[in-house]
Amino acid sequence: AQKVTQAQTEISVVEKEDVTLDCVYETRDTTYYLFWYKQPPSGELVFLIRRNSFDEQNEISGRYSWNFQKSTSSFNFTITASQVVDSAVYFCLHAGGTSYGKLTFGQGTILTVHP
Amino acid sequence: DTGVSQDPRHKITKRGQNVTFRCDPISEHNRLYWYRQTLGQGPEFLTYFQNEAQLEKSRLLSDRFSAERPKGSFSTLEIQRTEQGDSAMYLCASSLLSGGLTDTQYFGPGTRLTVL
């Protein structure tokens, strides 16, 4: 069975600091997808990034970047120059199984960015 | 904006009553998912549909929970004989599966259920 662990329960930073959110997963699937979502105080989950297991190229998109390491089953997410509006709960999602229908979220990391 | 919509946004019911929630996905999306989220936890996957077919339902929490997507468009989630432990946010998401590759799930605002 899949398992997703976000060991950081809460992170607090000051505006403009860089912050990295950790995600470690367990899976028996050879192919799978990984996602990061943000849940602001309004409650609606917002898609941020996704990565498939067969492409380990790490990318940068604006202030967001991610580091996918299949060998260590980690999919870490970095926000550069954090802003107060980045304050939210961040979730890592693993999609595996037949037709990628087995879906497992991590417990979430609460990020607070102080002005 | 034609994002995922859910109705109602809030539902208060008494223990033992049945409740039904509706989800309207993004129009061209063929996959629809249901999740439950309790306070301080990540969303917990319940079930999903590809068009009309319910492809995964083993994670529905009990036989009191059922979901339908009769015409491959909107979906309903029903909870029978509600219990206080059913109080949670129920989230719906949709995606477009194309060429065997999964696509991104887009979430609705959720239905908050309170069972008294």
Side-chain angles (χ1 to χ4, degrees):
Chain A
Q2 290 92 347
K3 182 179 179 182
V4 176
T5 301
Q6 294 179 248
Q8 303 151 308
T9 305
E10 293 191 52
I11 299 176
S12 182
V13 300
V14 176
E15 207 170 18
K16 297 184 184 178
E17 286 185 23
D18 298 347
V19 57
T20 295
L21 308 179
D22 298 335
C23 173
V24 175
Y25 59 92
E26 296 174 25
T27 185
R28 294 181 179 178
D29 298 313
T30 53
T31 60
Y32 47 88
Y33 280 81
L34 297 162
F35 302 80
W36 276 97
Y37 283 84
K38 169 183 178 180
Q39 190 170 43
S42 61
E44 194 158 333
L45 280 154
V46 177
F47 164 73
L48 297 175
I49 58 172
R50 91 176 194 176
R51 171 56 57 204
N52 60 52
S53 59
F54 36 93
D55 181 0
E56 288 197 59
Q57 181 180 348
N58 292 308
E59 296 182 20
I60 298 173
S61 176
R63 295 189 298 113
Y64 299 153
S65 62
W66 48 98
N67 187 342
F68 172 47
Q69 298 285 338
K70 197 169 183 178
S71 59
T72 57
S73 298
S74 67
F75 184 51
N76 297 337
F77 173 65
T78 297
I79 303 172
T80 301
S82 60
Q83 301 174 0
V84 172
V85 293
D86 295 327
S87 297
V89 185
Y90 288 80
F91 291 99
C92 182
L93 167 66
H94 175 283
T98 305
S99 299
Y100 306 103
K102 288 200 179 295
L103 302 153
T104 307
F105 273 91
Q107 295 283 71
T109 296
I110 301 170
L111 174 64
T112 304
V113 181
H114 298 280
Chain B
D1 189 320
T2 55
V4 179
S5 61
Q6 293 187 245
D7 184 68
R9 295 291 306 275
H10 303 272
K11 178 71 177 179
I12 300 174
T13 191
K14 293 182 179 179
R15 187 163 50 101
Q17 298 295 304
N18 298 343
V19 294
T20 300
F21 310 139
R22 175 178 172 127
C23 172
D24 286 89
I26 293 170
S27 59
E28 65 269 24
H29 283 186
N30 52 11
R31 281 196 164 186
L32 186 149
Y33 309 79
W34 284 100
Y35 294 84
R36 181 179 80 161
Q37 187 176 24
T38 53
L39 198 61
Q41 302 295 316
E44 179 183 11
F45 170 68
L46 298 178
T47 188
Y48 86 101
F49 295 85
Q50 184 165 316
N51 301 310
E52 308 85 7
Q54 191 173 10
L55 298 188
E56 176 63 61
K57 56 182 178 180
S58 64
R59 298 213 214 165
L60 283 169
L61 300 165
S62 76
D63 58 7
R64 298 185 297 107
F65 288 72
S66 63
E68 292 184 345
R69 193 183 184 198
K71 297 183 179 180
S73 56
F74 73 91
S75 175
T76 57
L77 177 70
E78 181 182 15
I79 309 174
Q80 296 182 328
R81 305 182 302 280
T82 52
E83 302 173 355
Q84 288 184 325
D86 297 332
S87 296
M89 178 75 85
Y90 290 84
L91 298 169
C92 177
S94 71
S95 71
L96 177 64
L97 178 70
S98 177
L101 301 176
T102 194
D103 203 343
T104 300
Q105 294 182 44
Y106 294 92
F107 282 81
T111 294
R112 182 167 295 283
L113 173 66
T114 302
V115 182
L116 302 175

